[in-house]
Amino acid sequence: MKAELSNVSLRQQAVYVPEEWRNSQPFTLLNETTATLVANCAKLGYGFSEELLHAISGLNPLRKLEILELLKEVTGVEKNWTPMIRQWDIPTGESVLDHIKTWFANAFGSQNGTRLQCGHLIPENTFPIERYNGCPFCGTPFNVAELELKPSRNPLKVLKLWGRQDLKTYFQSLLQSPVALDATQADSAKILLKEFGLIEGVEIRMKETLMLVIDALVEKEEWDAAGKFFKTPNDILRYLWYKKTGFLQLIEPKVIIKRVAKNSRNIYTQRDQSSEAKIKTADDLKLKFSRTQCRMYAQWINGLPMDVQAQCENMHPKRSMWVRVIRALRLAEYSKRPGYEPLKSLLDAFYHERYEVWQGRVNHFRLKLDAENTFKLLKQRPGLFARSLFANILWFGRDTTMEHFREILPLLAPRLVYTLNMYAESYFDKNAARVAKPLGGVQKKLPANQLVQLYSDEALKEMQVAVQEVSLEAIKGYLSVQENENKSIYIDESLFQIPIAIGDRGEMVQDLPQILMGTRLPIEGDTVRLFMQWGEGLEAQHLDMDLSCMVAYENRTERCSYSKLTVAGCRHSGDIQRIPEKVGTAEYIDVNLDQLTKLGAKYVSFTCNAYTNGSLAPNLVVGWMNSIYPMEIKESGVAYDPTAVQQQCRITQTLNKGMVFGVLDVAAREILWLELAFGGQIVQNLDTEGVEALMAKLDAKWKIGDLLQLKAKCQSLMQVENPEVAEEVYDVEWARDSAKVAELFLG
């Protein structure tokens, strides 16, 4: 069994079993190895559907073992889950004074105390060292306790059966996705590209997805086939930069250098390494290519179908990057060779700037308040017209702008129309805070457009309504033209909590069954347990990652972190600053909902930060546990239970210093799954208004259930309560494939 393919299926709550391995005999009783596998998987929180159980029963024991090992790897049960403090639900009573006394004792050579393995002396009457698994002063762990897996009363995640055709169908939906893939989907697409290659007849609509396809062809040395996918010079630049940095978006070198340098700053000046990091990153980003690579890129650019003027205009926004690339690829040298005349013409026009930039002309007429010529140009590029629609309404007025916009509405990609409908309300609001994430940056809170102050609230409301009415009319048009002979539809209630995936792409990989950012997950018990595990496979070193949470009240906030292990309603398992050899380490926080409800808390933000210079450690895993039954804490402090894990994700993005990975709504007893990157070593750097702005943005999105109801209305479908009698069934399992959801509404 190919482990990577099984990983892809598991993200869709399935197990891949090739058809040739399955048992063709009628299913009777479980044999001993199958029964053992079922029992062991139940301890990990997984069960099997009847169809999958039948397929597995015919496998040989080694392949059954592969399934168990896959689930163990994904759930992380073989990692080290030992925290710093034993039975950390009971406060140790440590204080800042204990740290000060210990510092003086070690600085001035006191002998009154206990010497630990790390070399530090813990004075008497300070830390209760019998309560720790390591040094409470320097955060070095000494003990590694084994995780005990036991049967649990928590509901199992039932896995279904997938075959080769299921994988191929899912792969096709990823390739055809009308929205950008998130990190989990992109990782799955890479795996499936190796297995299936490019499927003929599939239209790839997103440039980020196209880069993955091109890379797969280049690895097979099919340069000519890859070259046919490039339409513009910046497509080639995007691929080149993806191979250099691993980012599917064009993040400029200066942005990467600035982020890395900022991540290497330290609140203690003597530990600051920002200057060294800046120099090293700049050196790492220098472009060096072999002759073979130069010839490949030169042939691609030389064969582009665009005319020279259009190519130059396309290159202009990234002119500084192109100057470096042209030099590194020796394109001037290739342009002198026979057959490279198009490349020569391009370089000549680009270097001498013999081209006109479309955006410059738009800005020229816009500043002159020349609406006729401005909109004449914008109609040439409907997508850019849609992206600037709100600003143009404020600049030129509602009636004039909407009159011109209606002319190009049929030419727009549906995702742009949905986006306009969702965000019109917040844009035309004088008091609404907006959030934006620049390429390579963190989420930033933006004030309202200054021009909204020129208009009355009534006028702004009319602008909002005008956009929403026009866009809703277009959305109904998209749904109405879909051919459908069915008469009934079933919509699962949980789909009214799941937003459609437009705009906010996740940067963390979910190895457990995937959910969409913005999904609200209910809390069953009275305790939520956060967890973070990092450092697996690395040598022992100082690698200080911090798990924290911020409790927001009406007029104040409290933070539970390494600096304050116990606050009202929250308890931390202790700060670990160094990782042990190869096995990694863990931190936990228990959040008591009953206590926070009594105290009047509004919400709790779950965060992780890199205190050590640099960004969050690769393969760091964060998530939370949720159980209606009390969750146990071992005497050793180990508190991880794979059967209670509700959400878990793995860090792969290398530029983030801090991350919010969930927000608990105390009153509603729901957790909003989101990803909000922010800068800074500690949770105190988190801007609470930014969190609230992102929550508002996610809440403004269309929910899948609402869109399905609109689809039912447009296509005259009767909504039924029983999925067994419905001709169209939409449940959580269907919604898990976000590419398929996007294809239905945005295709």
Side-chain angles (χ1 to χ4, degrees):
M1 182 182 298
K2 294 185 178 180
E4 288 187 328
L5 296 178
S6 299
N7 264 327
V8 172
S9 64
L10 191 60
R11 292 166 183 170
Q12 300 300 309
Q13 203 160 329
V15 173
Y16 168 60
V17 181
E19 285 78 357
E20 60 270 20
W21 293 359
R22 300 181 191 176
N23 189 359
S24 58
Q25 301 299 319
F27 180 65
T28 55
L29 297 176
L30 295 180
N31 56 41
E32 185 176 352
T33 56
T34 305
T36 303
L37 173 66
V38 171
N40 286 327
C41 290
K43 294 178 182 178
L44 301 174
Y46 288 97
F48 300 124
S49 68
E50 184 177 343
E51 186 182 17
L52 176 58
L53 199 58
H54 185 195
I56 288 176
S57 66
L59 301 181
N60 69 51
L62 290 178
R63 285 174 176 159
K64 294 175 185 177
L65 183 62
E66 288 179 13
I67 295 175
L68 179 60
E69 291 301 319
L70 169 67
L71 294 178
K72 282 185 175 181
E73 180 183 354
V74 168
T75 54
V77 295
E78 295 182 344
K79 298 178 180 180
N80 174 34
W81 292 96
T82 311
M84 177 56 69
I85 300 174
R86 301 171 181 268
Q87 292 183 314
W88 45 272
D89 55 325
I90 304 173
T92 62
E94 72 172 67
S95 65
V96 176
L97 185 60
D98 293 331
H99 287 268
I100 295 174
K101 288 180 179 179
T102 304
W103 184 87
F104 274 104
N106 286 273
F108 297 103
S110 172
Q111 299 300 317
N112 184 21
T114 303
R115 184 76 59 179
L116 300 181
Q117 299 175 31
C118 59
H120 286 123
L121 180 78
I122 305 300
E124 294 180 358
N125 301 319
T126 55
F127 299 100
I129 57 175
E130 71 280 357
R131 292 285 311 280
Y132 292 86
N133 287 310
C135 176
F137 181 66
C138 70
T140 301
F142 304 142
N143 304 325
V144 175
E146 290 189 6
L147 181 67
E148 299 177 19
L149 297 177
K150 296 180 180 180
S152 171
R153 292 180 292 173
N154 291 315
L156 300 178
K157 303 177 182 73
V158 179
L159 302 174
K160 58 188 176 182
L161 173 65
W162 263 24
R164 187 172 179 81
Q165 185 57 46
D166 296 301
L167 283 174
K168 191 171 183 179
T169 301
Y170 176 60
F171 178 44
Q172 184 169 337
S173 71
L174 292 178
L175 292 180
Q176 293 177 326
S177 174
V179 296
L181 304 181
D182 60 25
T184 306
Q185 294 170 323
D187 185 67
S188 296
K190 291 178 190 177
I191 295 169
L192 295 173
L193 273 166
K194 295 177 183 177
E195 180 68 18
F196 295 105
L198 181 60
I199 301 176
E200 291 186 11
V202 173
E203 180 188 3
I204 303 171
R205 301 164 64 180
M206 300 305 298
K207 291 187 182 296
E208 290 92 334
T209 309
L210 192 60
M211 296 304 108
L212 302 177
V213 173
I214 290 170
D215 191 42
L217 293 172
V218 171
E219 286 185 359
K220 297 178 182 178
E221 297 187 356
E222 299 178 11
W223 298 352
D224 292 339
K228 294 177 182 177
F229 287 104
F230 293 114
K231 304 301 180 186
T232 70
N234 278 348
D235 289 346
I236 298 174
L237 180 64
R238 183 190 291 267
Y239 174 71
L240 181 150
W241 203 237
Y242 164 63
K243 293 298 292 180
K244 181 66 178 177
T245 65
F247 296 111
L248 287 168
Q249 295 172 295
L250 267 173
I251 304 175
E252 297 198 18
K254 61 182 180 182
V255 175
I256 297 175
I257 294 170
K258 183 178 179 180
R259 282 294 306 281
V260 172
K262 189 174 183 180
N263 288 347
S264 296
R265 294 175 188 166
N266 201 291
I267 55 179
Y268 297 107
T269 308
Q270 62 271 28
R271 294 183 182 177
D272 192 293
Q273 296 179 358
S274 56
S275 298
E276 295 89 336
K278 185 175 182 179
I279 294 170
K280 183 180 183 304
T281 306
D283 187 62
D284 291 341
L285 291 177
K286 289 181 179 178
L287 299 175
K288 298 176 183 178
F289 300 99
S290 66
R291 283 285 179 179
T292 302
Q293 291 172 318
C294 291
R295 186 172 68 255
M296 177 181 71
Y297 283 108
Q299 289 176 353
W300 285 346
I301 298 173
N302 191 63
L304 286 173
M306 295 179 73
D307 64 72
V308 170
Q309 287 290 317
Q311 289 187 57
C312 289
E313 184 185 353
N314 181 259
M315 296 163 68
H316 182 79
K318 303 295 180 184
R319 186 176 180 86
S320 60
M321 291 184 70
W322 270 111
V323 170
R324 294 180 58 202
V325 167
I326 290 170
R327 186 184 304 116
L329 290 176
R330 306 179 181 91
L331 295 184
E333 174 187 329
Y334 280 93
S335 68
K336 299 175 183 178
R337 298 183 180 183
Y340 285 87
E341 288 77 13
L343 176 61
K344 181 179 180 180
S345 300
L346 172 64
L347 296 184
D348 182 61
F350 183 71
Y351 270 115
H352 291 92
E353 298 188 28
R354 289 198 291 267
Y355 58 90
E356 191 174 27
V357 179
W358 175 86
Q359 186 62 53
R361 288 186 291 150
V362 172
N363 293 341
H364 170 76
F365 290 120
R366 192 168 182 269
L367 290 174
K368 285 189 159 190
L369 296 179
D370 187 342
E372 182 179 350
N373 283 311
T374 300
F375 289 122
K376 182 179 179 181
L377 289 170
L378 286 172
K379 289 174 189 176
Q380 297 173 7
R381 303 186 181 182
L384 292 177
F385 192 173
R387 291 181 176 91
S388 63
L389 176 64
F390 295 163
N392 282 320
I393 289 176
L394 295 176
W395 191 263
F396 291 110
R398 181 196 64 192
D399 295 339
T400 302
T401 304
M402 294 305 297
E403 180 184 351
H404 290 281
F405 179 69
R406 285 189 180 90
E407 296 179 26
I408 57 94
L409 189 59
L411 304 176
L412 290 178
R415 68 176 184 275
L416 292 176
V417 180
Y418 279 91
T419 303
L420 292 173
N421 185 277
M422 291 187 291
Y423 300 143
E425 183 175 356
S426 60
Y427 191 92
F428 297 108
D429 186 341
K430 296 179 181 180
N431 302 313
R434 299 176 293 148
V435 289
K437 186 177 183 300
L439 290 180
V442 298
Q443 297 276 3
K444 298 184 183 296
K445 182 169 65 71
L446 303 177
N449 189 319
Q450 293 182 354
L451 293 180
V452 299
Q453 304 301 330
L454 297 176
Y455 296 90
S456 65
D457 292 338
E458 292 77 11
L460 292 173
K461 183 66 177 178
E462 290 174 356
M463 294 176 183
Q464 170 199 324
V465 171
V467 173
Q468 290 180 331
E469 286 181 348
V470 169
S471 56
L472 183 60
E473 182 181 338
I475 293 170
K476 289 179 178 178
Y478 300 145
L479 297 174
S480 298
V481 297
Q482 295 177 359
E483 295 183 4
N484 194 347
E485 297 179 355
N486 296 325
K487 301 298 181 184
S488 59
I489 184 173
Y490 169 77
I491 306 172
D492 193 303
E493 283 296 324
S494 58
L495 299 186
F496 292 91
Q497 298 292 326
I498 304 176
I500 189 168
I502 301 177
D504 297 298
R505 67 192 76 182
E507 296 178 343
M508 296 190 283
V509 173
Q510 301 176 53
D511 292 315
L512 295 181
Q514 186 182 3
I515 59 175
L516 294 176
M517 185 158 61
T519 300
R520 291 183 175 271
L521 303 170
I523 301 302
E524 298 176 341
D526 57 8
T527 300
V528 173
R529 178 168 296 164
L530 314 184
F531 62 85
M532 178 176 71
Q533 209 283 348
W534 78 99
E536 183 192 19
L538 301 178
E539 296 178 356
Q541 58 183 288
H542 183 276
L543 190 63
D544 188 2
M545 303 290 121
D546 290 323
L547 178 67
S548 313
C549 71
M550 183 185 68
V551 184
Y553 294 89
E554 190 65 39
N555 299 311
R556 63 187 176 91
T557 58
E558 284 190 344
R559 297 168 180 86
C560 181
S561 66
Y562 72 91
S563 60
K564 195 171 185 180
L565 300 182
T566 302
V567 300
C570 302
R571 286 180 179 170
H572 197 290
S573 66
D575 184 33
I576 294 178
Q577 301 174 38
R578 301 187 66 88
I579 58 172
E581 186 76 13
K582 302 296 183 180
V583 296
T585 191
E587 291 183 5
Y588 307 90
I589 294 177
D590 265 4
V591 180
N592 189 307
L593 273 74
D594 289 344
Q595 190 174 355
L596 290 176
T597 301
K598 291 178 182 178
L599 294 170
K602 293 173 57 182
Y603 63 86
V604 183
S605 301
F606 310 155
T607 70
C608 57
N609 292 78
Y611 191 88
T612 299
N613 290 345
S615 56
L616 291 168
N619 292 327
L620 176 147
V621 175
V622 290
W624 64 82
M625 289 175 270
N626 162 35
S627 174
I628 194 172
Y629 307 104
M631 291 181 283
E632 186 181 5
I633 298 179
K634 305 292 185 183
E635 184 179 350
S636 63
V638 174
Y640 180 69
D641 179 3
T643 68
V645 173
Q646 186 172 29
Q647 171 64 336
Q648 171 182 306
C649 52
R650 177 163 48 91
I651 299 291
T652 58
Q653 226 281 349
T654 58
L655 291 181
N656 292 330
K657 185 71 172 176
M659 177 76 72
V660 178
F661 60 91
V663 177
L664 167 63
D665 185 329
V666 177
R669 295 205 166 213
E670 293 177 338
I671 297 178
L672 177 69
W673 158 240
L674 54 77
E675 296 178 28
L676 171 63
F678 66 97
Q681 287 179 274
I682 53 180
V683 66
Q684 282 83 348
N685 297 119
L686 176 63
D687 178 13
T688 57
E689 292 184 0
V691 175
E692 293 173 351
L694 181 57
M695 291 169 63
K697 179 181 178 182
L698 292 172
D699 282 339
K701 285 190 171 186
W702 277 90
K703 304 302 185 289
I704 294 176
D706 295 326
L707 281 172
L708 287 171
Q709 280 192 335
L710 185 61
K711 166 185 163 68
K713 182 178 180 181
C714 293
Q715 299 176 6
S716 301
L717 298 174
M718 181 177 67
Q719 189 172 342
V720 297
E721 301 297 327
N722 186 356
E724 295 181 0
V725 300
E727 294 178 88
E728 291 187 27
V729 176
Y730 299 99
D731 52 17
V732 176
E733 183 179 317
W734 168 81
R736 187 167 285 114
D737 186 352
S738 57
K740 188 184 296 183
V741 175
E743 186 177 352
L744 175 65
F745 296 117
L746 309 176

